Amino acid sequence: MRANFVYSNLNPCGGGERFTLVTMKALYEMGVEMDLTTLEQPNLSKLENAFGKDLASILKKIRKINLLDTFDEQSIHRNLHLNNYDLVINTHGDIDPYFHPSLNAKNTIVYCHYPSAKLFLESKDTEYLTYHLKIDRLHSYTNPSFEVTSQVAYKNPNQMMSQMVESMVTRSGNHIYDSENSKKEYVDWAKTTYDRMITDSFLITNSNYSKAAIQKEYDRNDILVLSPPVDVDTIISKVRIDQDLDSSASSNEICILVVCRIEPTKRIENAIYLARLLKERKISAKITIAGSLESHYQNYYNDMIKLIAELDVSEIVELHIDVSFEELVKLMKKSKIFFHPREGEHFGMSIVEAMSAGLIPVVPAEGGQTEFVPMEYQYKSLEDATKIISLLANMSKENMSKESNRIRNISRKFSETNYKRQFQLIVSRLLYNLEFNHQNVFDSNWKIRDSISAELARR
């Protein structure tokens, strides 16, 4: 058995990238050979720094990396034609349009975190087309030819080790290349392809919130809700609930942690505006923002630095870039509250991570996180968030410890073990052509397993 994982760029090192590595690990444990089809060479050292060597090492198990210039019709056709995959798994189904007439719901799993690409393509969003789809790399694809530009074993520690990399580059031939017309044709193709992918694949999403958004755009009632994996067990083993605050913090100062990629969609400015409100209300607090930074978003990072200075909160807000997992654990240990700045989050893996460390989550009242964060910690405005944090800051140590334990227990259902078991059963269902009713598995970790086990027993 051979599977093809599709993910345009693993290097941002966010929740979606970690989720993909865990999914690869689940498939590898089933004895399935894996290829990776991507638009960017994975940076192994960066992935190891972010997720640890154990998880990142799954990339060394990959048979081959298919390195494409873009996701386009000819590249996808060639990718599938040459490799004869039994299964295609697109874990970036919110962003990457990857589909072909040979694919269907029996041989293609698409994990769509949210139907973002449909909205981006309809509006011809420049940021999406440039950063995610690499449209500036586009050659005329009306009459292309292909060539393997490299097939080498990388030894650079920043790249994959002992991996064969096949790069597929589209050439425009001798005819005149019309850049603008070609880009327009490509956007039209990508939109059609994305729609077909969502309509005709075995579709999984992360929350009821995302499921409703997909159903609003597409007429599908068979979408499976499967919560993504979070490394709760490791964090629980490393962080004690009853630990004292870090010695660098004063006894009456409460530490607030924000964890997200440094990019505009994460609305990090909300955390900085929150800092100003806390300062105005004389609530003694420290906000630490930790996240990975891609060079593409350097200007946004610079804007956040300027905003911190303009709002005069530099003594309250700290930015930590590209922290390792061990560094993140240290930040969790000295924090008591987790603040999430973005409304409409599709699920919120960083929220669950923080909860597993016993941090009290203060999150927007819109998004997938509302399905597991208690209502009393959901805010509708930054004023609301300030009030919640003020109440927590005045909570006794004993009550804070009890609440932290309650929050930690909620996080346990999102363990990697539970996710891998469920995903492996979904793959088994496809490979063995078993039937079961699509059900929301958010509240039960055993529905998929019991359904497939019953079908196997019947046979």
Side-chain angles (χ1 to χ4, degrees):
M1 292 290 180
R2 181 180 299 171
N4 180 27
F5 273 86
V6 176
Y7 203 96
S8 53
N9 183 10
L10 290 171
N11 295 328
C13 297
E17 290 74 48
R18 187 183 185 282
F19 159 76
T20 299
L21 298 183
V22 175
T23 306
M24 287 179 174
K25 196 172 182 179
L27 211 67
Y28 178 76
E29 291 172 0
M30 296 179 71
V32 179
E33 275 192 344
M34 298 180 297
D35 287 3
L36 170 65
T37 296
T38 183
L39 305 183
E40 295 288 347
Q41 176 69 26
N43 186 324
L44 185 58
S45 62
K46 185 176 182 181
L47 291 162
E48 287 177 341
N49 181 67
F51 305 131
K53 290 186 177 181
D54 181 59
L55 180 56
S57 68
I58 191 62
L59 289 171
K60 297 179 182 180
K61 310 297 185 184
I62 290 174
R63 187 187 70 94
K64 184 179 67 173
I65 297 174
N66 302 306
L67 193 60
L68 278 58
D69 261 5
T70 60
F71 292 126
D72 59 73
E73 185 173 6
Q74 286 76 23
S75 295
I76 293 173
H77 173 78
R78 182 176 187 273
N79 183 216
L80 295 173
H81 176 72
L82 293 180
N83 293 288
N84 193 29
Y85 295 114
D86 298 288
L87 189 63
V88 172
I89 302 173
N90 184 348
T91 51
H92 211 200
D94 49 326
I95 294 295
D96 296 342
Y98 186 98
F99 206 69
H100 184 267
S102 66
L103 302 180
N104 54 59
K106 294 183 178 181
N107 61 16
T108 306
I109 297 174
V110 172
Y111 198 105
C112 179
H113 301 272
Y114 197 82
S116 303
K118 179 178 177 64
L119 309 177
F120 289 145
L121 287 164
E122 287 178 349
S123 64
K124 297 180 174 60
D125 185 90
T126 302
E127 176 76 8
Y128 168 71
L129 294 172
T130 303
Y131 179 68
H132 290 290
L133 296 192
K134 314 297 181 187
I135 197 169
D136 289 342
R137 298 179 180 177
L138 191 67
H139 304 274
S140 173
Y141 66 95
T142 55
N143 183 28
S145 62
F146 298 90
E147 65 180 44
V148 177
T149 59
S150 63
Q151 194 169 16
V152 297
Y154 283 95
K155 296 181 180 179
N156 186 321
N158 289 331
Q159 297 175 315
M160 297 300 301
M161 297 187 67
S162 301
Q163 295 298 321
M164 303 304 288
V165 180
E166 185 173 9
S167 181
M168 304 178 190
V169 182
T170 310
R171 304 299 184 190
S172 59
N174 296 322
H175 59 282
I176 298 174
Y177 171 50
D178 184 342
S179 175
E180 291 307 312
N181 186 60
S182 184
K183 288 181 179 180
K184 181 180 181 302
E185 289 179 3
Y186 176 75
V187 171
D188 291 341
W189 170 85
K191 181 180 176 182
T192 301
T193 299
Y194 186 81
D195 288 345
R196 288 194 60 193
M197 180 184 77
I198 297 299
T199 301
D200 297 337
S201 301
F202 187 96
L203 195 60
I204 309 175
T205 193
N206 52 26
S207 64
N208 287 311
Y209 176 81
S210 295
K211 180 178 179 179
I214 297 170
Q215 288 176 324
K216 182 180 178 181
E217 301 295 334
Y218 299 93
D219 185 21
R220 288 201 65 168
N221 296 315
D222 59 348
I223 305 167
L224 188 68
V225 176
L226 176 60
S227 303
V230 182
D231 195 11
V232 296
D233 293 332
T234 299
I235 295 174
I236 287 172
S237 70
K238 290 179 177 290
V239 182
R240 298 197 323 270
I241 292 293
D242 60 349
Q243 65 201 355
D244 293 329
L245 289 174
D246 184 82
S247 58
S248 64
S250 61
S251 59
N252 64 339
E253 183 179 69
I254 192 160
C255 293
I256 302 169
L257 181 62
V258 178
V259 179
C260 56
R261 294 191 306 276
I262 309 299
E263 61 176 76
T265 61
K266 295 302 182 180
R267 301 295 303 277
I268 295 170
E269 59 272 18
N270 283 339
I272 300 172
Y273 287 119
L274 174 69
R276 181 176 65 176
L277 287 174
L278 294 172
K279 182 177 180 179
E280 289 174 351
R281 284 150 183 74
K282 302 187 185 307
I283 300 171
S284 183
K286 183 91 167 180
I287 297 179
T288 301
I289 301 170
S292 61
L293 174 65
E294 291 280 286
S295 58
H296 183 82
Y297 294 115
Q298 184 64 46
N299 288 338
Y300 177 70
Y301 173 75
N302 295 338
D303 288 342
M304 294 303 98
I305 295 292
K306 291 177 183 177
L307 183 62
I308 290 170
E310 289 172 2
L311 298 183
D312 192 25
V313 290
S314 57
E315 77 280 12
I316 299 175
V317 180
E318 288 184 353
L319 280 164
H320 293 247
I321 303 305
D322 293 333
V323 298
S324 68
F325 178 72
E326 291 303 321
E327 290 170 327
L328 180 60
V329 168
K330 288 180 181 178
L331 293 174
M332 289 178 174
K333 284 181 177 180
K334 72 175 186 178
S335 302
K336 291 297 180 185
I337 296 173
F338 181 86
F339 176 74
H340 195 68
R342 174 190 175 183
E343 69 281 2
E345 185 64 70
H346 311 147
F347 175 77
M349 294 178 69
S350 63
I351 299 171
V352 178
E353 287 179 340
M355 291 171 65
S356 69
L359 276 64
I360 310 300
V362 179
V363 304
E366 178 189 351
Q369 73 281 350
T370 63
E371 295 166 27
F372 56 86
V373 172
M375 285 189 63
E376 59 266 33
Y377 301 128
Q378 299 176 23
Y379 66 86
K380 294 183 179 179
S381 68
L382 291 180
E383 285 284 354
D384 285 346
T386 304
K387 292 175 183 177
I388 295 169
I389 291 170
S390 178
L391 289 172
L392 290 171
N394 291 309
M395 186 178 288
S396 69
K397 184 176 179 180
E398 181 182 1
N399 287 337
M400 177 67 86
S401 180
K402 289 180 180 178
E403 197 61 8
S404 293
N405 276 300
R406 179 172 80 99
I407 292 299
R408 169 173 278 182
N409 286 333
I410 294 173
S411 75
R412 293 179 187 273
K413 71 174 73 174
F414 302 107
S415 71
E416 285 186 10
T417 300
N418 285 341
Y419 169 79
K420 287 195 295 182
R421 179 186 296 117
Q422 293 175 70
F423 188 80
Q424 287 166 349
L425 289 166
I426 291 171
V427 171
S428 297
R429 180 265 187 202
L430 293 183
L431 294 179
Y432 295 108
N433 196 28
L434 300 178
E435 296 297 333
F436 67 95
N437 293 326
H438 285 67
Q439 300 183 63
N440 184 325
V441 297
F442 181 80
D443 292 321
S444 173
N445 292 321
W446 309 104
K447 288 184 179 180
I448 297 178
R449 184 198 67 178
D450 292 345
S451 180
I452 294 182
S453 296
E455 179 65 18
L456 285 170
R458 184 182 68 79
R459 294 188 175 199

